[in-house]
Amino acid sequence: MNVRKIPAKTPLIQYFGRWEKSLDACRCAQGATYIKANFTGRLLLADLTDPGNWWRVSIDGSPFRRFRPQGENTLLAENLSAGRHKVLLVRSTEGYMGISEFRGFFLERSETLLPPDPPKPRCLEFIGDSITAGAKNDGPPDAPYDDIEDNDMAYGPQLARMLGAEYSVLGKSGEGVIHNWDEGWPGQGVHTADRYPWTFYSDKKSPTNHLWHPQNFPVDGILISLGTNDFGNNEHQPARQDFIHGYKNLLQTVRQLNPHTPIIAIEPVPAWLPPEARSWTKAAVMECKALGDNNLFFIPLNKEKPLLEAQDYAGDNTHPLKNGSKKIALYLKDKVAEILGW
């Protein structure tokens, strides 16, 4: 094939979310990271190594096509019209599915990358569990779990687009503030406050975990939606003091890396959670504010009535489908805009 390679490090390629860039490749493992570029020609391939994950590609704003990367032979588009085109390449599955490695694009030898479009002037970061990751929103409920996740259509990315913002997502299925879905009591595993400072997802605390530098992808607002897994075990429920202490630790960890960024805590989505999930989250925010952090906010979802109905979920009253996520985004849109002064 008569093509030439455009390396991943060229400034003509834009990266969004948590990426680690080296001389030969760019790597990610947080889910919903994405790439934008402008190019000429009829053919576009990527050098994308990622055996465990699903990705999606859109050319010139076309509907997304889902695919599994094939290394140097990852075909993104062919038989295009001559001239200028745009590519949007999005990772669909979350961080625990492994590290994605992007080494660049292949174009026909006579074609080239063009200067990128200006990025949107705003950026939001979303921190959460499977709901934030978009789990179970893209297929029948009985399909394999990792095959029915479209992180780009979870509530966070949808909200970001409504507000004219780029986005970064750190969503991990089963994760809680102090207790994960699949761990015993008390929870001794990795929780959100542990992994927030890491570039890549890991289920182990280790000094070798790559640390994230927020200046690599600055954000203008941070939204946290956690607690479903803490309260999801009927035999054990968290103690008030433990949950609030854990949530305060999470808020303070996020604040350490983002000294001046507004942080918005959101009530967990499922309406079947006890009212303590809402009131204790708010209490953690208020206690941190009392300690001097006045750039913290809280938004309830189900205080007056359940925000979502049964048909908005993937048959489990927990994981929103794409339309359910859209309802969440629409509910948050004006509230978040007001907090951020947008």
Side-chain angles (χ1 to χ4, degrees):
M1 190 178 295
N2 190 22
V3 295
R4 67 187 184 99
K5 189 170 188 177
I6 310 295
K9 282 286 286 184
T10 173
L12 298 177
I13 301 175
Q14 296 175 306
Y15 296 90
F16 300 86
R18 290 198 177 189
W19 288 86
E20 181 181 80
K21 302 174 184 178
S22 66
L23 289 177
D24 62 339
C26 295
R27 301 174 180 89
C28 65
Q30 286 290 1
T33 48
Y34 56 110
I35 295 170
K36 295 180 184 180
N38 297 332
F39 67 99
T40 65
R42 301 174 182 271
L43 176 71
L44 181 67
L45 296 96
D47 185 350
L48 181 60
T49 303
D50 195 358
N53 285 290
W54 289 102
W55 282 72
R56 282 173 164 80
V57 61
S58 171
I59 303 295
D60 299 330
S62 64
F64 278 106
R65 174 178 63 84
R66 191 178 74 152
F67 67 92
R68 287 200 187 274
Q70 303 295 321
E72 290 188 350
N73 298 313
T74 301
L75 179 64
L76 300 182
E78 61 182 341
N79 300 320
L80 298 173
S81 61
R84 302 165 59 97
H85 299 284
K86 299 178 184 294
V87 59
L88 172 58
L89 190 59
V90 185
R91 174 168 159 157
S92 295
T93 37
E94 59 192 88
Y96 80 86
M97 290 298 291
I99 293 177
S100 306
E101 183 170 283
F102 175 73
R103 293 177 173 268
F105 289 118
F106 288 97
L107 297 171
E108 295 167 297
R109 289 207 168 270
S110 59
E111 308 298 344
T112 186
L113 288 186
L114 301 171
D117 297 332
K120 297 172 183 176
R122 304 162 172 169
C123 186
L124 294 172
E125 180 175 75
F126 299 91
I127 304 168
D129 50 31
S130 57
I131 294 170
T132 300
K136 301 177 74 171
N137 71 350
D138 192 42
D142 57 348
Y145 187 88
D146 300 316
D147 288 347
I148 52 173
E149 184 172 88
D150 182 358
N151 204 168
D152 182 66
M153 286 300 291
Y155 78 90
Q158 291 201 55
L159 174 60
R161 288 189 287 272
M162 291 177 186
L163 293 173
E166 307 289 357
Y167 66 82
S168 177
V169 176
L170 290 82
K172 167 60 176 67
S173 288
E175 197 164 80
V177 178
I178 61 171
H179 179 260
N180 298 335
W181 178 260
D182 58 351
E183 67 178 346
W185 290 79
Q188 300 295 326
V190 168
H191 302 115
T192 308
D194 300 309
R195 72 174 174 92
Y196 182 76
W198 304 338
T199 302
F200 306 135
Y201 170 78
S202 176
D203 61 358
K204 297 179 176 61
K205 302 173 188 179
S206 169
T208 64
N209 287 337
H210 297 216
L211 295 180
W212 175 245
H213 301 286
Q215 65 269 22
N216 291 342
F217 191 70
V219 297
D220 302 296
I222 299 169
L223 285 77
I224 303 173
S225 179
L226 281 165
T228 297
N229 294 298
D230 297 273
F231 290 92
N233 188 313
N234 292 329
E235 297 182 7
H236 297 276
Q237 293 287 294
R240 182 183 192 277
Q241 181 179 354
D242 292 341
F243 183 83
I244 292 176
H245 175 77
Y247 212 112
K248 287 171 62 180
N249 177 51
L250 171 61
L251 292 171
Q252 290 163 349
T253 299
V254 175
R255 174 60 70 220
Q256 287 174 359
L257 269 71
N258 306 273
H260 308 294
T261 307
I263 300 172
I264 304 170
I266 301 168
E267 176 187 357
V269 170
W272 55 259
L273 291 170
E276 288 82 3
R278 175 173 59 249
S279 62
W280 295 356
T281 299
K282 183 178 180 180
V285 170
M286 298 309 294
E287 289 189 20
C288 285
K289 288 175 73 72
L291 294 173
D293 190 342
N294 292 314
N295 214 5
L296 292 175
F297 306 88
F298 172 72
I299 298 177
L301 296 183
N302 302 311
K303 185 176 182 180
E304 303 301 329
K305 64 176 183 178
L307 177 61
L308 301 185
E309 302 174 20
Q311 63 266 27
D312 297 320
Y313 293 103
D316 58 7
N317 288 321
T318 298
H319 296 93
L321 298 169
K322 294 177 181 181
N323 278 340
S325 292
K326 183 178 180 179
K327 280 189 178 181
I328 300 169
L330 286 168
Y331 179 84
L332 294 173
K333 176 177 176 287
D334 291 343
K335 297 174 177 62
V336 170
E338 181 178 1
I339 289 171
L340 301 181
W342 293 359

